[in-house]
Amino acid sequence: MNHKSKLPNVGTSIFTVMSALANEHNALNLSQGFPNFKSDQTLIDLVTNAMNSGYNQYAPMAGNLELRVAITNKFEKLYNTTYHPDYEITVTAGATQAIFTIISTFVKPNDEVIIFNPAYDCYGPAIELHGGKTISVQLEAPFYKVDWEEVSQKITSKTKMIIINTPHNPSGTIFSKDDMLKLETLLKGTNIILLSDEVYEHIIFDTEKHQSACLFPDLKSRSFIVASFGKTFHNTGWKLGYCCAPKELMDEFKKVHQFNVFCVNHPTQKGLADYLQEANHYLELSEFYQRKRDLFLNLIKDSRFKFIPAQGTYFQGLDYSNITMENDVDFAKHLTIEHKIASIPLSIFNTGNLDKKILRFCFAKTDETLKAAAEILNKV
Ligand code: PMP
Ligand code: GLN
C-alpha cells in the first residue's frame, strides 16, 4: 500500500514524546499540560451519581441540556452576555474537537487562516487537512505583543478565519482590552470568523481580567468561543469542553458535529452540570494557580533561569540563555535524561527563526512536585 500522507510534515506530538521520555527516564514531568493531583471529590461523586442514576445513553446532540443551561448562566454571570442554550452552545469532546470541527465546518481549499505563532499545536494541521493555508503572525519573546498593523496587512479577500488564544499557551501572556478592541476594529465589516480559544479563561493572575471575545459585540457576532472542562476542573482525561457562537454559525457547526461525534460522554456532562451550580468551583481557580506559580518562581528565583511571571495559563516559560547555547529541543532532552526534569521546548509551537532559548514548564503540580522541580532547576 502506498498512500500519500495528508500531513506529510507531521510527526508524533511533542507532548507524547516528552511525556514518554519523562517516564522512560523516571523524570519529573512538567512537560505535557496536565495536573498531577486529583480533581475535587465532589465532582467525581457527581459523575458517579450520574452513572448510577441512568445517564448512560446518548446525550442530546448539542449536549446535556442542564449543562448547556449552566454554561449560559456562567456567561451571564461572568461576562453579562447571553448564549441561548438551545441554539448557541455545543458540548464537545474537549476543546480539541471543537477546534477541529469549527475549522472543518468553515475552511475550504485555498482559504487563508491567520494564526499567531507560537501557537497551540492543533490549529495548523486541522487547517492543512481541509486544504486551507495557514498565515502566520510571528510573536516574539518575552512579551509576545501583537503588531495589529501586521495583522491588518495579512488580511486578504481569502481570509476565512483568525484564531486567537488568550490566556496563551505556550507563552503565558494575555490579550489586553486594547488588543481586543483593535481586533474588533480590524474585522468590522468583513466576513471573517474568529475562533477564540479561551481554554484558560479561569486561570489569570495579578488582578488581570480575562478579555473574552464575547465582551466585544462585533467580535461576539463572528466568534466561536472554545472552552475546556479538563483545564478548569483538573481532569484533562475526561476530554470534555464546549463551544459557543451565534445561532447561524452554530447551525453550520452542528451539521458537521453530528457526523463527527454526534454527541459526547453523557454522565460526565450531567456531573459537570451539577458541579457548575456552585460558581466558586471555577472562580477560585486563578487564586489556586497563582499561588502555585508564585511558589514555583519564588523557589527558583536564585537559579540561572530567567523569567517573566506568566499572566495566565498554568505554564511558565524559563529562559536558559545564561546556562547554555544548546537548542531548546536538545536542552529539553538533556534536562530530562541527565537532570530528571521534563519540559517542552518552545520552538515546537513555531517560534520561527527566533531561537530564544526558552522551555515551557507546567506548574499544575502538587507543591511537593514543584519543590522537587525547583531543587533540580537550582542545580542546573
Ligand atoms: N487549546 C489550548 C490552548 C490548549 O492548551 C489545549 C490543551 N491543553 C487545548 C486547546 C485542548 O484542550 P482539550 O484537552 O480540552 O482538548
Ligand atoms: N494542551 C496540553 C499542553 O499544552 C497538551 C495536550 C496534549 O497532550 N495534546 O501541554
Side-chain angles (χ1 to χ4, degrees):
M1 300 269 272
N2 185 13
H3 294 290
K4 193 160 169 259
S5 172
K6 289 181 83 174
L7 292 172
N9 301 318
V10 169
T12 305
S13 127
I14 188 76
F15 305 120
T16 307
V17 171
M18 291 310 296
S19 276
L21 198 69
N23 288 339
E24 186 189 337
H25 293 277
N26 210 10
L28 285 183
N29 189 0
L30 274 64
S31 64
Q32 195 176 19
F34 63 87
N36 72 339
F37 43 85
K38 214 175 140 189
S39 63
D40 191 351
Q41 189 60 44
T42 307
L43 174 56
I44 292 172
D45 289 344
L46 288 169
V47 174
T48 309
N49 289 347
M51 284 188 192
N52 285 326
S53 48
Y55 288 83
N56 299 306
Q57 309 309 330
Y58 293 128
M61 193 261 279
N64 172 283
L65 182 58
E66 287 172 65
L67 179 56
R68 284 181 280 138
V69 170
I71 292 167
T72 299
N73 292 340
K74 184 171 87 107
F75 273 94
E76 280 172 357
K77 187 179 175 63
L78 284 182
Y79 306 113
N80 195 22
T81 195
T82 298
Y83 284 99
H84 197 292
D86 288 344
Y87 317 112
E88 299 186 315
I89 298 172
T90 302
V91 183
T92 58
T96 310
Q97 185 239 316
I99 292 165
F100 193 91
T101 305
I102 295 163
I103 291 171
S104 183
T105 304
F106 295 99
V107 174
K108 300 192 193 76
N110 301 319
D111 280 346
E112 294 180 356
V113 181
I114 296 179
I115 70 168
F116 297 88
N117 276 321
Y120 186 57
D121 68 342
C122 76
Y123 310 150
I127 297 164
E128 199 182 324
L129 271 176
H130 293 89
K133 196 170 158 204
T134 301
I135 306 295
S136 165
V137 173
Q138 195 69 55
L139 308 183
E140 214 178 312
F143 298 113
Y144 302 90
K145 283 307 278 178
V146 176
D147 174 354
W148 291 105
E149 184 49 39
E150 182 189 347
V151 181
S152 157
Q153 283 162 13
K154 289 192 165 160
I155 292 177
T156 72
S157 56
K158 292 188 184 157
T159 309
K160 169 65 75 178
M161 184 180 288
I162 295 189
I163 304 180
I164 62 170
N165 169 219
T166 182
H168 183 242
N169 179 9
S171 74
T173 56
I174 54 176
F175 273 10
S176 64
K177 184 173 179 188
D178 187 53
D179 285 316
M180 299 302 279
L181 287 170
K182 287 202 168 110
L183 178 61
E184 185 172 48
T185 306
L186 268 186
L187 298 185
K188 224 166 228 160
T190 71
N191 249 332
I192 298 171
I193 293 167
L194 181 68
L195 193 172
S196 187
D197 179 345
E198 303 186 10
V199 301
Y200 300 102
E201 72 179 307
H202 301 301
I203 312 180
I204 188 153
F205 310 133
D206 305 320
T207 69
E208 291 286 354
K209 286 240 167 324
H210 174 56
Q211 300 296 331
S212 173
C214 72
L215 290 168
F216 303 84
D218 194 75
L219 287 183
K220 185 185 175 195
S221 71
R222 62 180 71 251
S223 291
F224 277 89
I225 291 177
V226 173
S228 168
F229 288 117
K231 297 288 160 190
T232 306
F233 295 133
H234 316 307
N235 37 49
T236 59
W238 291 0
K239 288 302 293 187
L240 217 69
Y242 59 91
C243 61
C244 307
K247 182 176 181 302
E248 57 167 343
L249 293 176
M250 192 54 86
D251 283 348
E252 286 303 310
F253 175 94
K254 283 188 194 160
K255 288 183 191 170
V256 180
H257 177 79
Q258 65 186 336
F259 298 119
N260 188 185
V261 285
F262 184 71
C263 66
V264 302
N265 189 296
H266 200 173
T268 321
Q269 293 189 57
K270 166 63 177 154
L272 281 163
D274 294 339
Y275 195 66
L276 278 170
Q277 300 308 317
E278 173 55 62
N280 276 341
H281 288 147
Y282 51 85
L283 294 177
E284 287 168 352
L285 202 63
S286 290
E287 195 185 324
F288 175 80
Y289 275 121
Q290 183 166 331
R291 201 193 60 74
K292 290 205 177 284
R293 179 201 66 172
D294 292 347
L295 170 72
F296 182 53
L297 293 185
N298 200 32
L299 287 168
I300 60 166
K301 68 178 185 314
D302 297 323
S303 74
R304 292 198 288 163
F305 291 93
K306 293 182 287 181
F307 53 78
I308 294 174
Q311 295 171 292
T313 75
Y314 47 49
F315 301 115
Q316 177 64 50
L318 297 183
D319 173 329
Y320 62 87
S321 58
N322 276 344
I323 299 170
T324 172
M325 279 296 116
E326 228 175 325
N327 74 52
D328 62 356
V329 173
D330 289 347
F331 189 53
K333 287 188 176 153
H334 171 94
L335 277 185
T336 310
I337 297 166
E338 304 296 332
H339 295 270
K340 308 288 176 209
I341 184 161
S343 58
I344 298 285
L346 221 74
S347 61
I348 63 95
F349 297 95
N350 287 323
T351 43
N353 297 324
L354 310 166
D355 177 9
K356 294 281 188 181
K357 316 268 176 241
I358 295 172
L359 300 176
R360 188 201 78 174
F361 291 80
C362 171
F363 56 83
K365 304 294 164 192
T366 61
D367 290 1
E368 195 185 21
T369 301
L370 294 175
K371 285 177 193 158
E375 208 167 299
I376 296 174
L377 294 174
N378 283 331
K379 290 193 192 130
V380 176

